[in-house]
């Protein structure tokens, strides 16, 4: 069974940090040449692509609102992706999802999705 499981969400104050993890099972990020994407969905807003990292060269992309604050990475040996989030703001509050698929920040570019993890940033 293909599964992506996110962890690491929680409640943090403005300016704090969280590290999200995305553990895959049932497939291998590297062998199957999957990029890892992180998306977020806040109440009243559309789901948006936050960041993505490809498999071959570790090329990364960040949405403008998170540039300089978030860092995406992957550990192929552990079949896990990460999103380090620093200098968090209340606007970062959302459910964060990881996904596996092709390079990009559109939802339709990804084949597999995790269940999401809540990130809440208090002011």
């Amino acid at each position: 069974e293909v599964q992506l499981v996110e962890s690491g969400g929680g409640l943090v104050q403005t300016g704090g940090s969280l590290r999200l993890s995305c553990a895959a099972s049932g497939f291998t990020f590297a062998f199957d040449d999957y990029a890892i994407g992180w998306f977020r969905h806040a109440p009243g807003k559309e789901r948006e692509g936050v960041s993505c990292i490809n498999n071959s060269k570790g090329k990364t992309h960040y949405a403008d609102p998170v540039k300089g604050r978030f860092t995406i990475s992957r550990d192929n040996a552990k079949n896990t992706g990460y999103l380090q989030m620093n200098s968090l703001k209340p606007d970062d509050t959302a459910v964060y999802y990881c996904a596996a698929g092709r390079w990009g920040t559109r939802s339709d570019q990804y084949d597999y999705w995790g269940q999401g993890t809540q990130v809440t940033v208090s002011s």
Side-chain angles (χ1 to χ4, degrees):
E1 180 186 4
V2 171
Q3 240 184 340
L4 290 174
V5 179
E6 302 99 333
S7 61
L11 174 64
V12 65
Q13 292 185 333
T14 296
S17 298
L18 286 172
R19 188 194 195 202
L20 305 183
S21 298
C22 174
S25 60
F27 71 100
T28 304
F29 284 126
F31 183 78
D32 295 309
D33 197 25
Y34 277 119
I36 300 171
W38 286 95
F39 292 77
R40 65 186 182 185
H41 193 184
K45 297 183 180 179
E46 293 187 356
R47 181 166 56 185
E48 64 172 335
V50 173
S51 182
C52 53
I53 182 169
N54 72 355
N55 176 51
S56 57
K57 296 183 179 180
K59 176 184 175 183
T60 60
H61 172 80
Y62 298 93
D64 286 343
V66 307
K67 279 182 182 177
R69 300 188 297 121
F70 290 12
T71 303
I72 191 171
S73 62
R74 61 192 295 158
D75 184 337
N76 286 340
K78 295 182 178 180
N79 210 25
T80 299
Y82 303 97
L83 186 68
Q84 177 67 44
M85 307 186 295
N86 298 330
S87 302
L88 283 162
K89 307 174 182 179
D91 283 350
D92 296 318
T93 296
V95 177
Y96 283 72
Y97 299 88
C98 70
R102 305 306 151 209
W103 172 260
T105 55
R106 298 197 322 264
S107 298
D108 63 0
Q109 293 171 308
Y110 291 83
D111 301 318
Y112 303 119
W113 291 82
Q115 82 290 348
T117 186
Q118 177 70 47
V119 171
T120 303
V121 184
S122 63
S123 57

